Amino acid sequence: MFFTQTWKTMAYADSSSYFYKPLTDTTRPVNPSDSGRKILSLVTDTTKLPVIDTSLKPKTDTFSLKLSKDSLEAPLKYEAADSAVVLIQDKKIILYGKTKTEYKDITLTAPKVEVDQVTQIVTAVNAKDSTGTVTETAHFKSGESEFTSDTIRYNFKTQVGLTKNTYTQQGEFLVIGEVAKKVSENTTFIKRARFTTCLLDDPHFAFVTPQMKVINQKLAVSGPAHPEFEGVPVPIYLPFGFYPLSQGRHSGLLPPRFATNEQFGLGLEGLGYYKVISDYWDVKVYGNIYSYGGWSANVNPSYRKRYRYNGAFNLSVQSTRFNFKGDPDYLKNKSYMVNWTHSVDSRARPGTTFSASVNAGSTKFNQLVPNNVQLNFQNQMSSSIAYSKSWAGKPYNLTISANHNQNNRTRLINISLPDAGFAVNTLYPLQKKNATGTAKWYEKLGIAYNGNFRNQVSFYDTAFKLKNLIDTLQWGAQHSFPVTLALPPILGGAVIVSPGFSYSQVWIAQKFRRRWNSATQKVDTSITKGFFMDHQAQFSLSFNTAIFGTYQFKKSRIVAIRHVIRPTFSLNYKPDLSRKFYYTDTVATGVTQRFSVFEGALYAGYGEGKTGGIGFQLDNNLEMKMRSKKDTGENAIKKVKLIDGYGFSTGYNFLRDSLKLDAFNIYLRSTLFDKIQINAQTVLDPYQTDKYGRNINKYAWQGGKFKLGRLTYGSVSVNTSFKSKPKDPKKDELRKKQQEELLSDPSLAGDQRRLLDYMQQNPGDFVDFNIPWQVTLGYSISFTTRLSADLVNFEKDFSSGLNFNGSFNLTPKWNFSAQGNYDFDTKEMQTFSMSINREMHCWQMSINVTPIGLYRSFSFSISPKAAVLQDLRINRSRFFTNF
């Protein structure tokens, strides 16, 4: 028999009974399906009503009671939004609607819950509509464990549960079980389990096993397993499965990838082991091996301590063997590479910094790395290890560094060790200690100091010997004492006057003298070691102002155009303190070339001759204000930059005996329509030349035909990028944020270079289907004039090229992308690659083709998107060379 009563509030008297205070003293039988009463409750014995707990406030839409029994460690709490029925004889409570059951950290929600007070078993079931479709499921949460099921039976006393058709997510994995038994807080046994990273109710793929044991957030172990796609089993069976579920770092084997290469043969790449040493250290040891005898080994430790420092180190040894001994293109080579990155949190030791960025190795290493076209063409490498110290309350700071650079094409390596710098910030010796009011003009007289010392050795890795290393040793130092003075503006503040003086000195360890050898028809260079100095003093007085001009339009969308002119006029003087120049013969009889004895030193010295003249610079920019057709009010008028800047600079030296007018440096920069960036610059020489291309003391416009001069250098670059709006703006912002976090993650500092290399090698893995199309174009052209090897003639070198990169979606799930470079000098494509990518929800497919260039390749890959299954990749690649 059912007893019902409208509920108002609740209290309990002891550990074995519970009561409800009714609104009236009458009770009557009701049908549990009676929709006329939304809230139902029971009064079992009104004579034993205790004092009501007034802290429990009445509710209008929720049935709530607490049950405390000796067999439980904490009270049970039940809530129902629709109705609750109590079966007195069976001692059961049935809750309907959005029910919620709580016990300790356990929360159970379901559309229907049955509570057995005798066995303490709670049964939760789902809800279905008239067609049998599940509309609401039962949900169980205990600590970090969480799952959804059609049916849940859970014993709060023993904490053992049984579920049917269960879905639970463990990290990136989704585990689906036909029947699951929870035997403890963290352990669950599953019958007929499906393991996948596709987070759908009916996943596209899964690993199916008849039985599985899951230890929450640690690991899962299964019996025989096989994959299935779209419900179709694949007859590939594994005797057992071991699936790590723990989050964060954990040690383990690194599975290899199969590769094939025309030069290296068949191979396994990436085979190794990853070891977590401590909370601050881990190391990865891996390598590659190929059928032609080549191999490589890598040791990659990384370290990090939050708010202190982080870094990574990588040592690579590579033994390369092309083809077989006796073949015409047989090659055997050993090379190495060292990479180290280190950074210190600025909060760790204020005023002190230490950083390292090391990329050094054999000049042949990059060229011989297999299956990496971008790295094969990387010829410039550099390194820096730096320590800096600044003292609080003091005006000086110290920097000590070790630097390295190498050219892999010429195989020249330069190492600077140590490279020290000491600087004193501007001091104002005439400034009063306790100044009041406006400072006098002479109190703004400032003096500073900058000093650098460098020690450098240079060598070719093909001729490395200790004796040669000592012979190339150079050292030098540079000192500079700038003096500044800020004078009050003149002409009502329109003109700013800035006088200046500086004295500089360099210490040089070597002198160079070049002589033309008529027998060999080459230049011979002799080196004299010692201690040498060169000096320079400069005086200047500059005047700066700005001129504004505005033209107003009437009855036009163009409101106004503003032109800003910023002229700079300067007077300068430099005495001739550097007299270290000489003439040498050349290939042409009677024709000489002038050089400095310090040309080629670490600090090349200063220019010769006196300077007493003027300098002039004119900078401009052009802006326009337009009235919008759509907006009104303050947003109606928008400022548009027509030309960001254009102008020129030159000078005239009155004390020079000839060629007194300096060359004109002309420049222009602009951004059109906020899309097209244009940069152009050139050097205009105003003098005529002789038959060898050397300047003569005759202006270009003299001699009959008018001519402004000749261009000795010039460059123009045009870059633009267009892309469509993202389909989902929020998804686009999330993607950008994730990429920024990935590249700035301190724990991945050591892998950033390899990550960027991987992104360049596998652009298909990073295709954004949220952007329907995007195009990037860049064109550049430049020329320069240089002195030829015979020291007489001048040659012009031209270069021009077009870079392009673009992608577009053929369909919402298919994307085509291409990138390349066209050289207009050779009229050939230098590089070109294209890829077709398929979005497959939880999988991705990519076809990459590089049909032209020195390194050609074809690759096909299909793999899951989840990082935990990144090694489950089907890959087929072929590489070819055009040596």
Side-chain angles (χ1 to χ4, degrees):
M1 183 175 183
F2 298 94
F3 291 89
T4 65
Q5 184 68 41
T6 303
W7 171 83
K8 180 178 181 182
T9 189
M10 177 278 298
Y12 52 88
D14 51 46
S15 61
S16 60
S17 59
Y18 50 93
F19 305 93
Y20 302 92
K21 181 179 180 181
L23 288 175
T24 64
D25 294 335
T26 61
T27 61
R28 66 179 180 84
V30 298
N31 190 332
S33 62
D34 182 7
S35 60
R37 291 181 175 271
K38 192 173 184 180
I39 306 298
L40 304 177
S41 62
L42 167 72
V43 176
T44 58
D45 191 348
T46 57
T47 62
K48 296 182 179 180
L49 280 174
V51 178
I52 296 174
D53 185 354
T54 57
S55 65
L56 299 174
K57 297 181 179 179
K59 300 181 181 180
T60 56
D61 291 328
T62 302
F63 173 88
S64 179
L65 64 92
K66 289 185 178 179
L67 174 64
S68 177
K69 302 187 72 69
D70 295 336
S71 58
L72 296 177
E73 299 178 359
L76 274 169
K77 182 179 179 181
Y78 309 96
E79 293 185 4
D82 290 340
S83 61
V85 176
V86 178
L87 304 177
I88 297 178
Q89 294 179 353
D90 296 335
K91 296 184 178 180
K92 293 182 180 180
I93 303 174
I94 303 176
L95 310 177
Y96 296 92
K98 296 182 179 180
T99 69
K100 184 177 181 181
T101 305
E102 294 180 344
Y103 174 71
K104 290 186 178 179
D105 64 341
I106 298 175
T107 302
L108 175 63
T109 59
K112 178 183 177 181
V113 172
E114 180 181 304
V115 183
D116 191 323
Q117 300 182 56
V118 178
T119 62
Q120 296 301 319
I121 294 177
V122 176
T123 303
V125 296
N126 60 15
K128 298 181 180 179
D129 59 15
S130 59
T131 63
T133 303
V134 177
T135 58
E136 191 174 356
T137 57
H139 188 80
F140 182 93
K141 182 177 181 181
S142 175
E144 297 181 355
S145 177
E146 191 172 357
F147 57 84
T148 300
S149 304
D150 287 347
T151 303
I152 299 175
R153 286 176 55 85
Y154 188 77
N155 191 315
F156 282 95
K157 184 176 181 180
T158 62
Q159 296 194 24
V160 175
L162 190 67
T163 66
K164 293 182 180 180
N165 197 19
T166 301
Y167 292 75
T168 179
Q169 188 168 351
Q170 302 281 332
E172 290 187 279
F173 282 113
L174 175 65
V175 183
I176 304 174
E178 186 177 294
V179 179
K181 184 176 182 180
K182 184 177 178 64
V183 298
S184 67
E185 184 179 356
N186 295 316
T187 305
T188 304
F189 289 91
I190 302 176
K191 177 183 178 182
R192 181 68 181 172
R194 300 168 72 197
F195 213 62
T196 181
T197 57
C198 182
L199 305 181
L200 294 177
D201 292 342
D202 293 316
H204 294 119
F205 81 101
F207 295 93
V208 181
T209 179
Q211 54 190 0
M212 173 180 285
K213 178 181 179 181
V214 178
I215 301 177
N216 185 43
Q217 303 299 331
K218 288 187 178 180
L219 61 90
V221 181
S222 73
H226 69 276
E228 69 173 20
F229 292 88
E230 297 289 354
V232 179
V234 178
I236 300 176
Y237 285 85
L238 301 174
F240 63 91
F242 183 87
Y243 313 91
L245 303 177
S246 59
Q247 303 298 305
R249 304 175 302 151
H250 53 274
S251 303
L253 291 172
L254 302 174
R257 301 181 303 274
F258 179 77
T260 178
N261 188 284
E262 186 182 41
Q263 296 172 307
F264 294 81
L266 303 177
L268 294 176
E269 298 180 343
L271 177 63
Y273 188 81
Y274 173 76
K275 175 65 177 177
V276 178
I277 301 175
S278 67
D279 292 340
Y280 309 111
W281 282 85
D282 56 26
V283 63
K284 182 167 61 174
V285 181
Y286 61 99
N288 309 328
I289 186 169
Y290 302 95
S291 60
Y292 288 173
W295 57 268
S296 65
N298 302 268
V299 180
N300 180 206
S302 61
Y303 54 91
R304 66 202 62 82
K305 192 170 184 179
R306 184 170 293 184
Y307 309 123
R308 299 286 293 179
Y309 54 80
N310 66 80
F313 182 85
N314 183 74
L315 173 63
S316 301
V317 180
Q318 184 174 249
S319 178
T320 305
R321 185 176 294 178
F322 287 172
N323 298 319
F324 296 99
K325 194 171 184 179
D327 291 343
D329 53 353
Y330 172 76
L331 172 66
K332 185 177 181 181
N333 177 272
K334 280 192 176 182
S335 56
Y336 71 93
M337 177 66 66
V338 176
N339 306 104
W340 178 35
T341 60
H342 180 88
S343 61
V344 177
D345 195 310
S346 59
R347 295 166 293 184
R349 298 184 63 184
T352 302
T353 62
F354 178 77
S355 63
S357 176
V358 177
N359 298 283
S362 305
T363 54
K364 283 286 186 180
F365 185 91
N366 285 353
Q367 181 183 345
L368 300 177
V369 172
N371 308 338
N372 193 328
V373 177
Q374 284 76 20
L375 200 60
N376 297 148
F377 285 99
Q378 184 177 330
N379 290 323
Q380 299 292 332
M381 298 172 61
S382 60
S383 306
S384 177
I385 303 174
Y387 168 85
S388 64
K389 172 69 175 178
S390 60
W391 287 264
K394 303 295 183 180
Y396 43 82
N397 57 79
L398 173 69
T399 300
I400 301 176
S401 63
N403 301 294
H404 145 273
N405 66 80
Q406 67 184 65
N407 188 312
N408 294 337
R409 186 177 62 85
T410 62
R411 310 189 75 172
L412 177 63
I413 300 174
N414 300 310
I415 299 176
S416 300
L417 176 67
D419 195 336
F422 184 78
V424 179
N425 299 332
T426 304
L427 301 175
Y428 299 92
L430 302 180
Q431 191 176 65
K432 298 178 181 179
K433 293 184 178 180
N434 299 314
T436 58
T438 304
K440 303 295 184 181
W441 65 269
Y442 55 82
E443 292 181 351
K444 297 181 180 180
L445 177 69
I447 183 171
Y449 168 77
N450 294 286
N452 294 280
F453 173 83
R454 181 179 301 170
N455 193 66
Q456 178 177 296
V457 293
S458 303
F459 60 92
Y460 291 92
D461 67 346
T462 54
F464 178 77
K465 292 182 180 179
L466 182 60
K467 181 179 180 300
N468 296 340
L469 197 66
I470 297 175
D471 290 341
T472 63
L473 176 65
Q474 293 190 75
W475 64 267
Q478 184 178 39
H479 310 275
S480 176
F481 299 88
V483 179
T484 59
L485 178 61
L487 295 178
I490 60 175
L491 301 179
V495 178
I496 299 175
V497 182
S498 302
F501 166 76
S502 67
Y503 172 78
S504 303
Q505 183 184 87
V506 292
W507 298 349
I508 302 173
Q510 293 171 322
K511 288 197 302 185
F512 300 81
R513 185 169 289 272
R514 295 164 177 81
R515 292 182 176 85
W516 179 258
N517 190 324
S518 57
T520 61
Q521 293 292 293
K522 293 182 179 180
V523 177
D524 292 336
T525 302
S526 61
I527 301 175
T528 303
K529 294 189 176 183
F531 177 75
F532 310 98
M533 289 191 299
D534 200 8
H535 310 264
Q536 176 179 268
Q538 290 182 316
F539 303 86
S540 64
L541 180 65
S542 64
F543 303 88
N544 303 274
T545 189
I547 303 172
F548 300 88
T550 303
Y551 182 81
Q552 303 284 344
F553 290 84
K554 297 181 179 179
K555 298 181 180 180
S556 173
R557 285 185 57 206
I558 301 176
V559 178
I561 293 180
R562 189 176 75 162
H563 181 202
V564 182
I565 305 174
R566 295 181 175 87
T568 300
F569 178 79
S570 63
L571 304 173
N572 52 78
Y573 172 75
K574 179 180 75 70
D576 186 10
L577 302 180
S578 180
R579 301 176 181 178
K580 307 292 190 302
F581 288 78
Y582 63 95
Y583 285 99
T584 185
D585 294 331
T586 65
V587 66
T589 304
V591 178
T592 59
Q593 189 69 35
R594 193 163 177 80
F595 290 96
S596 167
V597 295
F598 297 137
E599 187 173 338
L602 284 180
Y603 299 98
Y606 304 105
E608 68 173 330
K610 293 181 179 180
T611 298
I614 60 174
F616 183 75
Q617 179 178 348
L618 189 67
D619 182 64
N620 304 259
N621 74 323
L622 203 61
E623 297 177 339
M624 176 177 63
K625 286 186 177 181
M626 291 190 63
R627 184 177 288 105
S628 175
K629 291 183 178 180
K630 300 179 180 179
D631 297 331
T632 58
E634 296 181 356
N635 298 325
I637 299 178
K638 296 182 179 181
K639 183 184 293 185
V640 179
K641 285 189 176 182
L642 299 178
I643 302 179
D644 297 337
Y646 66 96
F648 69 92
S649 63
T650 186
Y652 193 89
N653 187 357
F654 294 99
L655 302 182
R656 192 182 297 157
D657 56 357
S658 61
L659 308 177
K660 296 183 178 182
L661 180 62
D662 295 336
F664 290 81
N665 294 282
I666 306 171
Y667 62 91
L668 179 144
R669 60 185 184 275
S670 180
T671 302
L672 302 179
F673 315 111
D674 293 328
K675 288 292 183 181
I676 304 174
Q677 295 84 35
I678 302 175
N679 284 279
Q681 52 186 333
T682 188
V683 176
L684 181 69
D685 194 321
Y687 290 100
Q688 299 182 22
T689 62
D690 59 14
K691 63 178 181 179
Y692 298 112
R694 300 183 306 171
N695 286 354
I696 59 176
N697 194 26
K698 191 174 182 180
Y699 291 116
W701 51 83
Q702 293 178 338
K705 184 181 292 186
F706 179 78
K707 187 178 180 182
L708 290 177
R710 59 187 178 88
L711 301 178
T712 59
Y713 167 79
S715 69
V716 177
S717 65
V718 181
N719 297 278
T720 185
S721 178
F722 301 94
K723 69 176 182 179
S724 63
K725 294 182 179 180
K727 298 177 182 178
D728 187 345
K730 293 183 178 180
K731 186 177 179 180
D732 185 59
E733 291 296 328
L734 180 61
R735 175 186 173 89
K736 292 179 180 179
K737 184 178 179 180
Q738 290 174 344
Q739 288 183 346
E740 292 175 358
E741 291 177 351
L742 182 64
L743 293 175
S744 61
D745 188 352
S747 63
L748 299 177
D751 294 329
Q752 285 185 14
R753 185 183 66 86
R754 297 184 180 276
L755 174 63
L756 293 174
D757 291 343
Y758 181 83
M759 292 174 68
Q760 292 175 343
Q761 295 178 60
N762 304 273
D765 294 352
F766 302 91
V767 173
D768 187 2
F769 285 88
N770 194 38
I771 304 294
W773 62 267
Q774 55 184 339
V775 177
T776 301
L777 298 172
Y779 174 76
S780 64
I781 181 172
S782 64
F783 71 92
T784 183
T785 304
R786 61 179 177 85
L787 182 65
S788 62
D790 59 12
L791 303 182
V792 174
N793 297 291
F794 289 84
E795 299 177 353
K796 281 189 176 181
D797 296 328
F798 287 86
S799 64
S800 61
L802 173 68
N803 298 303
F804 59 89
N805 186 347
S807 69
F808 63 92
N809 292 345
L810 300 172
T811 69
K813 299 296 183 180
W814 285 94
N815 177 274
F816 175 82
S817 61
Q819 57 182 340
N821 173 270
Y822 182 81
D823 192 329
F824 288 94
D825 298 333
T826 60
K827 295 180 174 58
E828 291 181 353
M829 292 288 298
Q830 297 299 309
T831 61
F832 177 75
S833 63
M834 56 184 177
S835 64
I836 299 177
N837 304 276
R838 176 69 162 91
E839 161 66 28
M840 303 169 66
H841 184 256
C842 49
W843 283 65
Q844 57 191 2
M845 184 187 72
S846 177
I847 302 174
N848 300 283
V849 181
T850 303
I852 62 174
L854 183 62
Y855 297 92
R856 296 173 290 116
S857 65
F858 168 84
S859 67
F860 168 83
S861 67
I862 181 171
S863 62
K865 289 183 178 180
V868 71
L869 294 180
Q870 61 181 340
D871 297 313
L872 188 64
R873 173 192 292 261
I874 301 173
N875 183 60
R876 177 62 175 171
S877 302
R878 293 294 303 272
F879 290 83
F880 312 92
T881 56
N882 288 337
F883 289 157

